Each structure stands twice: as C-alpha cells, then as structure tokens.
C-alpha cells in the first residue's frame, strides 16, 4: 500500500465515526402535553406547602418596633432638633413604654434600626484600615482612613469614618420596677472577633478630636472585645438597616409594659434619618420576613394555574402527534 492509500483508508474510517455523523446516543425529550402538565402540577404541589410552612414561621415571630427619634426631643426643641442634639448641656435621656401584644419567648433580640443612613456610600465604605484594626499602631499606612486619620500627629486607633461615626444611643429595659437583664455578649460574628479585630489593639486615642462623631470606646478593652464597634463596622448594604444591640433573656408576657430608658445621643436629625428600637423573637428561619414564603406560594400557585390552563386546552383541542398537515407550509397548500 502506498502512503496515499493508507491516508485514504484512515479518512474513510474517521468519516464514519458516530460522532462525525452526529448519531451518538442522546436523550431526546419530547415535551408532550401530558409531560408539561405533570411538571407544572408537581412544581405547584411542592412549592405551595413549602411556602405555607415558611410563611407560618415568619408569622410566628413577634416584633415590637418603636420609632423614638422625633418624640425623644423635648417639646420646646422640636423646631430646631439639630441644635438640640448638638448641645451637650441639654440632657438626652428619654423614656418609652412598649406594650407587649403577644407572648414573647426568650431570647428576645434587641436591635436599633436606622433609616436613610447610607453606610454604603463609596467614600464611607473605604474609610477604615483593616490592617490597623488587626495590628494596631504598628501598621502605618493608614491613608485609606481619610478624612479621620490623625489626631495631633498620632494615627487614631481605630481610624476612619466608619469607626468615628459609631452609634452611641444606649438602652435600659425595666419591667415592673425590675431591670430586665440584657446580654450584650456574643452579638458580633465570631470570625470578626477572632480574625479581623486585634486582641492586643487598644483604642487609646479614639474620639479625642475636636469634632465628636459618635460613640466612645473604653481604652482598656482590646478591639476584639468591643462588640458594638465590630457590629457597627460590618457595614450595611442598604440605607435602612438593623443592628444587634443585645438579647433579653427573660420571657415577656402578654400585656407586660416594658419601660425603656434611653439616651438619645446620636445625631440623625441633620440628614433626616430615623431611629427605631426593635424587640423581636426568632423562629427556626430567623426574623420576621414574609418575602420568601410569599414568593414560594406565588410561584407554586402560578404553576398550578398554568397546569390547569394547559389541561383544559389539551382536552379541548386534542390531536394526534406528528400530523404533518398542521405544518404551516402544508396548511398554506391546503387553503390554496
Ligand atoms: C454621640 O454621638 C454624637 C454624634 O452623632 C455626638 O455629638 C455626641 O457627643 C455623642 N455622645 C456621646 C455621649 O458619646
């Protein structure tokens, strides 16, 4: 055999591979009406119960939300709230009464909610130094912290706008003249405490400048134990957000009245933000949020309706499969 013969043979072999002939075994599903209807029915039957269970979990959560920023400004100052909040000589304490409308099982989570607060602003987000939070003064390149970087030529620890604007309202809870115990430990992520905030970094010169942005920190406690700061520095993606303040570890009964002694320190008035206090229980799915349940029920019922519509159409206009007289070009020739 010559070389060209051999070549031709080889070509002949490859030419008849199943792959080159596109005759490999393959799954070729045909979406017959029966199949489509069954799939829609099945989806509906799975999604609706899951949605109802999810919705039930969300509805079982008891929540008390109290907006206090407006009412905690004494009557004479209501016309000029900004000068009220900026004047340190006016006392900022305020009492609120929360009525419990449904039995609340411990642990009851305490959140503060801020509205219209853009923690996601481009320059705010960047204004911190992760390395400094972990290593402290040893780390010098803190230029990312601008405009809150230095105080008297010393770098501020922790530097940056986020830390500087730490939320500083405080809450105390009293029921029938006894103070409710609030557990303020373990409110931050463990991974943040262990790996992002230094165990030997102390906020020795924090909030010492002329312009005070928010909360102060105890300089004798390392950053890894300053949980309020850690919670605050995990910035929120949306302008309305809740942050965990603590947990009440006693049950609250129906018609209990909880008196809240709060210090209304934080200035949300200059940007028309709102402040709310939230008490909430939790379910196996977390807090109160109907969205997931409603989405499941919506998708499930849409599938059921589609299944029904298709079934009616199928029963009404039944015809054999593969009838070529229905093809458009055949139909046209029929009508001519
Ligand atoms: C709380 O933060 C505000 C700024 O929002 C500040 O003016 C005020 O001095 C702070 N108060 C305390 C007690 O830290």
């Amino acid at each position: 055999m010559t070389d060209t013969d051999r070549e031709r043979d080889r070509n002949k072999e490859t030419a008849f591979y199943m792959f080159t002939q596109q005759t490999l075994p393959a799954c070729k599903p045909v979406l017959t009406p029966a199949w489509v209807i069954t799939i829609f029915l099945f989806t509906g039957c799975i999604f609706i119960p899951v949605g109802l269970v999810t919705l039930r979990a969300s509805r079982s959560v008891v929540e008390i939300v109290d907006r206090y920023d407006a009412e905690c400004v004494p009557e004479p100052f209501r016309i000029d709230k900004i000068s009220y909040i900026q004047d340190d000589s006016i006392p900022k304490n305020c009492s609120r009464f929360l009525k419990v409308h449904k039995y609340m099982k411990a642990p009851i989570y305490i959140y503060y909610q801020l509205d219209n607060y853009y923690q996601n602003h481009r320059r705010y987000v960047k204004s911190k130094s992760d390395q400094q939070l972990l290593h402290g003064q040893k780390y010098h390149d803190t230029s990312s912290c601008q405009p809150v970087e230095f105080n008297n030529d010393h770098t501020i620890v922790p530097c940056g706008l986020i830390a500087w604007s730490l939320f500083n309202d405080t809450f105390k809870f009293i029921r029938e003249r006894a103070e409710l115990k609030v557990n303020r430990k373990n409110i931050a992520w463990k991974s943040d405490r262990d790996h992002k905030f230094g165990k030997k970094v102390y906020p020795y010169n924090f909030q010492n400048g002329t312009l005070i942005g928010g909360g102060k920190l105890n300089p004798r406690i390392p950053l890894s134990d300053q949980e309020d700061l850690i919670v605050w520095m995990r910035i929120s993606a949306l302008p309305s957000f809740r942050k965990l303040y603590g947990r009440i570890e006693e049950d609250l009964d129906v018609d209990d009245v909880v008196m809240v002694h709060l210090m209304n320190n934080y200035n949300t008035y200059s940007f028309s933000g709102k402040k709310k206090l939230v008490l909430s229980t939790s379910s196996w799915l977390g807090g109160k949020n109907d969205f997931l349940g409603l989405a499941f029920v919506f998708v499930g019922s849409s599938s059921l309706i589609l299944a029904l519509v298709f079934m009616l159409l199928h029963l009404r206009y039944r015809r054999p499969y593969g009838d070529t007289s229905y093809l458009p070009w055949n139909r046209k020739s029929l009508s001519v």
Side-chain angles (χ1 to χ4, degrees), residues 85 88 166 168 212-216 265-267:
I85 200 78
D88 284 339
L166 176 63
N168 66 355
I212 305 293
K216 300 196 166 60
N265 294 320
Y266 202 66
N267 182 2

Side-chain angles (χ1 to χ4, degrees), residues 129-147:
S129 164
D130 288 327
Q131 292 298 320
Q132 193 216 43
L133 290 174
L134 194 57
H135 303 296
Q137 284 156 274
K138 278 183 289 180
Y139 190 77
H140 291 295
D141 181 14
T142 51
S143 56
S144 62
C145 281
Q146 273 171 2

Side-chain angles (χ1 to χ4, degrees), residues 325-336:
S325 67
Y326 280 87
L327 290 170
W329 51 90
N330 291 343
R331 246 188 303 182
K332 217 177 279 168
S333 68
L334 282 179
S335 65
V336 169

Side-chain angles (χ1 to χ4, degrees), residues 118-131:
Y118 287 80
Q119 265 201 320
N120 56 6
H121 186 283
R122 182 173 57 87
R123 294 181 59 189
Y124 185 89
V125 171
K126 283 198 275 189
S127 186
K128 62 169 180 171
S129 164
D130 288 327
Q131 292 298 320

Side-chain angles (χ1 to χ4, degrees), residues 132-135 193 196-201 222-225:
Q132 193 216 43
L133 290 174
L134 194 57
H135 303 296
R193 274 181 279 144
K196 299 192 115 183
F197 290 77
K199 291 187 173 45
K200 295 199 185 87
V201 182
L223 291 192
S224 60
D225 290 334

